[in-house]
């Protein structure tokens, strides 16, 4: 596999990862009960707002880094997003969710 193919795969995987997170954030803002159990409450709306505050700017910066071909910045942004996903999974595990 060539270095260009590896770089393109890295760009695509990072982009898909942040867009999925941003999609869940937007879904939570527009319809919180779609991403949290039970009916929509004030707590689920606050949860969705925190999620969007983290996911939307990260997605925007990653997309800008991809457009500018900022590979070094994209590496760290991808690492940060992976770390966020890991911590989210750990919290879900601890909450038995």
């Amino acid at each position: 596999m060539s270095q260009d193919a590896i770089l393109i795969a890295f760009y695509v995987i990072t982009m898909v990862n942040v867009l999925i997170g941003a999609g869940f954030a937007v879904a939570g803002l527009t319809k919180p009960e779609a991403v949290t159990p039970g009916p929509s409450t004030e707590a689920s709306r606050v949860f969705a707002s925190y999620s969007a505050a983290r996911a939307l700017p990260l997605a925007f910066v990653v997309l800008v880094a991809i457009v500018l071909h900022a590979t070094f910045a994209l590496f760290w942004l991808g690492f940060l997003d992976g770390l966020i996903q890991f911590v989210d999974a750990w919290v879900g595990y601890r909450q038995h969710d």
Side-chain angles (χ1 to χ4, degrees), residues 25-89:
V26 170
L29 286 175
T30 58
K31 191 173 181 183
E33 62 272 9
V35 293
T36 57
S40 176
T41 64
E42 184 62 28
S44 64
R45 286 188 287 280
V46 169
F47 174 77
S49 297
Y50 277 115
S51 175
R54 174 182 76 216
L56 295 176
L58 182 60
F60 175 75
V61 172
V62 164
L63 293 175
V64 168
I66 289 171
V67 168
L68 296 177
H69 300 286
T71 305
F72 185 73
L74 193 60
F75 170 78
W76 286 106
L77 291 167
F79 176 78
L80 174 63
D81 192 49
L83 184 62
I84 289 169
Q85 294 292 331
F86 176 78
V87 173
D88 281 346

